[in-house]
Amino acid sequence: MEERIARFIAALRGAGVRISIAESQDAWQAIVCTGVMQQRVFYDVLRATLIKDSAAFATFDRLFSLYFGPDEPLIDPQADLTADERQLLQQALNELLQQLAQDLQRLLDWLLNGRPLTPQDLQRLSEQAGIEANESSSPYQVRRAARRLQQLLGWDQLQALLERLWEQLAEQGMSPQTIQHLQEQVARNQAALQQQLEQFAGQQTLEQRARMTRHPQAADLLQRPFSSLDSAAMRLLRDEVRRLANRLRSRAALRQKRGKQGRLDAKSTLRANLSYGGVPFEIRLKQRRRKPKLVVILDVSTSMRPVAEFFLRLLYELQDQVQKMRSFAFIDHLEDVTPHLTTLRVDEAVQAVLTTLPPGYYSTDLGYCLRQFEAKHLALIDSRTTFIILGDARNNFNDPALETFRNIGRRARKTIWMNPEYPAQWGTDDSDMLLYLPYCNEVHQVRNLEQLTIAIDRILL
């Protein structure tokens, strides 16, 4: 504190406030008597002893807030996590760091050894970057897709890494001419690699679009991303939903049948037969499985509408396998859409849900919608409820309301998140997915109808 006060006085002098050594001593003696614990007293003491001219009050106030303003303490985000949640977070961080280190290492290897990316490398990057067939093949869009590939390789960190490499080589005695030669060669390789990525992105877009022009079969569309489906493919998949729902219903019914029969409860059976000397005359079975109770929050922003539509269609067809379901749609605010799903036919219900919040230029704000849910509908969540979020977790840099999300998850039987984006895209730009991840029991990527069907089958377990 002494050093900070001395720096504060020096800053006042630097700003043109005249302060003598005697006045500084007076200030220090007054502070010794009054202490620094009470902010207002501390402020009054310094101002009374150091400032002689009222014209300097503004300067004093500005600098005081800079040197003695409230310090916002850093918080430990893991303080309230359980041991399992901390382990999950640490595991996810380790995997991310390991992946990042591997990608950077490969990138440096390509640049310094003059090796182009292999077709396998490019294909892997394309899948992670999610280059879609519906993207335009214009030069701008191709460069944009190539930029996503570069980000996955850690291109943004490359320049700083190369600078450190050149400095290290210089310290180890390499001649400046050789370093400059290396820099020129690596720069040429960078340009060539960038060109290779742009060419590949352009080729992928054109080839995927060509594949789309063929007459698709429903089976071919199951693994095609929702975002790449045209209107004809959407119609074909809507017809396919009923068949998939029947298949899921058969599986769920089989599980229900097994649940009704019950499974042997060994502990209860042993306790019940103690009077028979342990001979199992009375068999006790475990309680049968109950149908799930669901609360669903759907992101129906423009990019999420195809996923939300097929999710609703599947769950609508499987209503007899669900004990109770409440559904909410959101973009920038939350809307209860349950009445549509309980009173209308499937096509009308899905249309009504999607038009409750019509497409447009919204600012998606999941954090606000979670707080809205907590304030009005938290009573819907209990220990038998499965809480489901369907969304890409892109929150437009708004507050993600993690505490609210964690509170909701604590009350629920389990929390399931369905996200159409690739895991490599989580946490990039305005994505808050990595922040929500530690508080989820299950996370499913639902990029196509096949993945969505598998995820819904897990809900019915």
Side-chain angles (χ1 to χ4, degrees), residues 299-318:
D299 181 352
V300 291
S301 58
T302 305
S303 61
M304 287 295 300
R305 279 176 184 264
V307 192
E309 177 187 336
F310 283 102
F311 177 83
L312 287 172
R313 285 181 180 278
L314 273 171
L315 274 189
Y316 187 97
E317 297 288 346
L318 292 167

Side-chain angles (χ1 to χ4, degrees), residues 280-293:
F281 287 108
E282 296 180 15
I283 302 299
R284 298 295 170 89
L285 301 176
K286 286 187 177 177
Q287 191 178 12
R288 67 184 182 184
R289 189 183 64 82
R290 294 175 176 172
K291 291 179 180 178
K293 180 181 170 188

Side-chain angles (χ1 to χ4, degrees), residues 142-312:
V142 168
R143 281 196 296 273
R144 191 163 172 265
R147 177 66 186 155
R148 294 211 300 273
L149 298 175
Q150 289 175 342
Q151 285 177 335
L152 287 173
L153 285 172
W155 200 276
D156 295 337
Q157 303 166 58
L158 179 65
Q159 199 56 41
L161 207 60
L162 285 173
E163 291 295 336
R164 286 171 56 190
L165 178 64
W166 308 139
E167 288 175 7
Q168 195 168 341
L169 288 175
E171 289 173 2
Q172 291 175 353
M174 183 175 282
S175 68
Q177 293 78 10
T178 307
I179 292 176
Q180 186 178 359
H181 176 71
L182 272 175
Q183 288 174 333
E184 292 171 356
Q185 296 293 321
V186 168
R188 289 178 59 183
N189 283 347
Q190 269 186 273
L193 193 58
Q194 186 170 358
Q195 185 180 8
Q196 187 187 11
L197 292 174
E198 288 182 6
Q199 288 174 346
F200 176 76
Q203 290 166 10
Q204 281 293 98
T205 305
L206 292 172
E207 288 171 10
Q208 290 194 28
R209 179 163 294 178
R211 283 196 291 273
M212 281 183 61
T213 58
R214 299 173 197 157
H215 297 293
Q217 300 295 321
D220 301 331
L221 297 174
L222 288 178
Q223 297 179 354
R224 183 177 291 181
F226 289 119
S227 56
S228 69
L229 298 175
D230 57 15
S231 56
M234 291 281 279
R235 281 196 299 274
L236 202 57
L237 272 190
R238 286 185 190 117
D239 296 336
E240 185 69 7
V241 164
R242 189 177 296 275
R243 187 184 70 79
L244 291 172
N246 286 335
R247 197 167 69 188
L248 290 179
R249 185 179 291 105
S250 299
R251 285 186 196 168
L254 183 60
R255 287 195 289 260
Q256 285 283 345
K257 186 178 176 183
R258 289 172 181 164
K260 286 178 182 175
Q261 292 170 350
R263 290 186 303 168
L264 177 66
D265 189 337
K267 290 181 180 177
S268 180
T269 300
L270 285 174
R271 281 197 298 270
N273 291 280
L274 286 175
S275 58
Y276 305 118
V279 180
F281 287 108
E282 296 180 15
I283 302 299
R284 298 295 170 89
L285 301 176
K286 286 187 177 177
Q287 191 178 12
R288 67 184 182 184
R289 189 183 64 82
R290 294 175 176 172
K291 291 179 180 178
K293 180 181 170 188
L294 307 180
V295 170
V296 182
I297 294 184
L298 299 164
D299 181 352
V300 291
S301 58
T302 305
S303 61
M304 287 295 300
R305 279 176 184 264
V307 192
E309 177 187 336
F310 283 102
F311 177 83
L312 287 172

Side-chain angles (χ1 to χ4, degrees), residues 352-377:
V353 170
L354 296 181
T355 52
T356 298
L357 292 166
Y361 295 99
Y362 294 88
S363 177
T364 305
D365 191 346
L366 175 58
Y368 172 74
C369 297
L370 287 172
R371 283 192 288 272
Q372 207 179 343
F373 179 86
E374 185 185 40
K376 297 180 179 177
H377 308 289

Side-chain angles (χ1 to χ4, degrees), residues 32-76:
V32 169
C33 296
T34 59
V36 298
M37 299 305 292
Q38 298 181 43
Q39 182 82 352
R40 184 65 205 182
V41 173
F42 180 59
Y43 167 87
D44 289 339
V45 165
L46 282 182
R47 200 169 84 153
T49 52
L50 296 177
I51 305 300
K52 301 178 289 294
D53 186 355
S54 61
F57 284 164
T59 303
F60 177 89
D61 289 345
R62 179 170 58 83
L63 294 182
F64 185 87
S65 64
L66 283 178
Y67 281 83
F68 306 109
D71 295 329
E72 190 67 30
L74 292 176
I75 57 172
D76 180 6

Side-chain angles (χ1 to χ4, degrees), residues 3-14:
E3 183 186 350
R4 193 187 295 189
I5 294 172
R7 285 165 45 209
F8 172 64
I9 293 172
L12 284 172
R13 287 175 177 148

